Amino acid sequence: MGEGKLWLERKFDRRLLLAGGLAAAGGTVVAANAARGQTSHAGHEMPAVAAAERPPAHLSAHGAMITVGEVDDARNGFDPSKLLSDWYTGTVSMLPEGRTLRTFEVTAEDKEIEIAPGIMFPAWTYNGRVPGPTLRATEGERLRIVFRNQGSHPHSMHFHGIHAARMDGVPGAGLIGPGEEFVYEFDARPFGCHLYHCHALPLKRHIQKGMYGAFVIDPDPARHPEHEAVARSRLLGTPENAGWQEFVMVMNAFDTNFDNENEVYAVNTVAHAYAKKPIRVLKDKPVRIYLVNVVEFDPINSFHLHANFFDYYNQGTTLTPTLKTVDLITQCQAERGILEFHFRDHEPGLYMFHPHQSEFTELGWSGMFDVVEAVS
């Protein structure tokens, strides 16, 4: 009985931490259900707020739970709305044999970031942002990643891909100390939706502190003649790819009191960023999402799309769907995939997306697609 009571108290504290942090910063977490005398999904009463403090109706689609106030994107050095399609394609040159060499520069640095209004987090970052830059290349290219560690701890870059052991970025193969530099070099393969992260120990702390990013390798259409049209639609820079609305979403979370449980959940770091500023999409143009789960301390995350269904390519390493016509997929940590869907048959409006773990949704991980006929 004592252990059960302690577990409930920890869950309750975890749910209220966000509200407490925001209140200290002059904000609050809105809980209209509690104001009506109702309880949260977990059965715990939530703090009531005055009607004047409640958000507009379109921001309260999930139990009226949403952060109040705005995060200072300029201070953070990154804007979640821009992270959605901020592809880092590096610098291109040619090798003597005529093959493309694509070079990226990545720097580790300690940086305090704002993950919800008034809630600061002491992050370890790649290029001063969380998630790190979305590296994008084409299958078969030679990749060179110049990594400089300007942080306070040893770090590395471990890529989910195919490469030599000495390029693996793990203890033994090589950690990069503060002030040091290392060059990772390998071929871009296989094509798909991948990720990279620090592999220094303790691993859970280095990942949870923000050292991760998406790593996308586009298929080379010439290597896939049986699915050339699909491959061209994924290849950045082609007319076929321009016909898609592509976004990268890194599902992450933050342990703000270092108790090995998360208090804030998000996509691309800032809680409720896409609920407050919905992602505008054209109804007649298909949508492709590169989805990556790097949430630490929770074994499973998920993605649910309201009022629609999608095709899913697990790991993104196939040109035919792993799952067809689904509205929910689950991912363990480091799992990723590609989602494809459209709103051609829908009326314009706001369409929600979120995980189907209600706690994650209420603590920051939810958003909206703003489906429009045309971009104004």
Side-chain angles (χ1 to χ4, degrees):
M1 179 66 75
E3 291 182 357
K5 181 175 183 293
L6 178 61
W7 181 86
L8 285 173
E9 288 174 348
R10 290 180 69 189
K11 298 292 281 185
F12 188 44
D13 289 343
R14 184 182 180 198
R15 186 175 292 274
L16 289 181
L17 181 70
L18 186 59
L22 288 169
T28 186
V29 172
V30 175
N33 283 347
R36 294 193 297 269
Q38 297 179 5
T39 59
S40 73
H41 286 95
H44 306 307
E45 290 190 7
M46 299 299 293
V49 296
E53 294 178 299
R54 296 174 193 166
H58 79 279
L59 296 181
S60 58
H62 202 277
M65 296 290 296
I66 195 163
T67 54
V68 173
E70 298 297 330
V71 164
D72 189 339
D73 295 332
R75 179 176 59 189
N76 270 353
F78 59 88
D79 179 347
S81 294
K82 295 179 180 178
L83 292 187
L84 288 165
S85 55
D86 184 15
W87 315 110
Y88 181 26
T89 55
T91 302
V92 173
S93 58
M94 299 299 293
L95 293 167
E97 67 269 24
R99 193 155 59 114
T100 296
L101 171 65
R102 194 175 295 270
T103 301
F104 301 93
E105 296 189 11
V106 179
T107 300
E109 60 179 286
D110 300 358
K111 183 177 180 180
E112 187 176 61
I113 61 173
E114 190 176 10
I115 58 175
I119 296 183
M120 307 303 294
F121 183 79
W124 297 339
T125 73
Y126 290 119
N127 285 8
R129 46 173 275 186
V130 179
T134 299
L135 310 184
R136 190 159 182 175
T138 301
E139 179 185 15
E141 294 178 334
R142 188 68 172 177
L143 304 185
R144 181 176 293 163
I145 301 94
V146 181
F147 174 60
R148 301 179 181 92
N149 184 4
Q150 295 181 4
S152 57
H153 294 73
H155 294 302
S156 71
M157 296 184 72
H158 163 64
F159 294 88
H160 284 234
I162 298 173
H163 46 254
R166 58 191 169 83
M167 296 293 167
D168 205 25
V170 299
L175 296 181
I176 314 307
E180 296 180 348
E181 177 181 311
F182 184 79
V183 178
Y184 298 94
E185 190 164 323
F186 51 87
D187 292 342
R189 61 191 179 106
F191 71 85
C193 177
H194 308 308
L195 78 154
Y196 63 90
H197 59 83
C198 181
H199 218 293
L201 301 177
L203 185 59
K204 64 182 179 181
R205 184 56 61 193
H206 282 251
I207 292 178
Q208 201 275 332
K209 289 274 280 182
M211 303 210 74
Y212 46 76
F215 173 42
V216 176
I217 299 178
D218 295 333
D220 176 1
R223 299 177 180 223
H224 309 280
E226 71 283 13
H227 298 294
E228 183 177 359
V230 176
R232 289 189 65 81
S233 79
R234 284 202 205 167
L235 180 58
L236 189 67
T238 64
E240 294 84 351
N241 179 260
W244 286 78
Q245 301 171 99
E246 291 190 327
F247 307 111
V248 61
M249 295 188 181
V250 178
M251 302 187 292
N252 52 359
F254 300 90
D255 173 15
T256 58
N257 61 359
F258 306 105
D259 64 348
N260 290 342
E261 291 193 16
N262 296 308
E263 285 73 45
V264 177
Y265 295 81
V267 164
N268 295 342
T269 298
V270 176
H272 293 135
Y274 306 122
K276 295 179 179 181
K277 297 179 182 178
I279 302 168
R280 181 160 293 185
V281 298
L282 292 169
K283 72 184 299 265
D284 291 329
K285 196 172 180 180
V287 177
R288 176 179 289 133
I289 296 175
Y290 294 89
L291 184 72
V292 180
N293 178 36
V294 290
V295 170
E296 189 62 78
F297 307 130
D298 291 284
I300 295 293
N301 205 338
S302 60
F303 183 101
H304 169 51
L305 179 62
H306 278 213
N308 207 345
F309 282 70
F310 53 84
D311 290 345
Y312 182 64
Y313 302 76
N314 191 27
Q315 317 288 331
T317 53
T318 67
L319 297 173
T320 56
T322 310
L323 298 170
K324 287 186 67 67
T325 319
V326 297
D327 68 347
L328 175 86
I329 57 96
T330 59
Q331 293 182 340
C332 66
Q333 193 205 58
E335 194 169 356
R336 65 274 182 194
I338 297 174
L339 288 65
E340 295 182 350
F341 55 95
H342 62 79
F343 290 98
R344 285 193 294 268
D345 302 324
H346 290 67
E347 63 183 43
L350 293 170
Y351 294 87
M352 193 176 192
F353 60 91
H354 62 88
H356 232 290
Q357 290 90 333
S358 297
E359 182 177 38
F360 296 7
T361 301
E362 293 169 353
L363 292 178
W365 170 181
S366 67
M368 298 274 190
F369 289 112
D370 180 12
V371 178
V372 299
E373 296 281 1
V375 176
S376 58

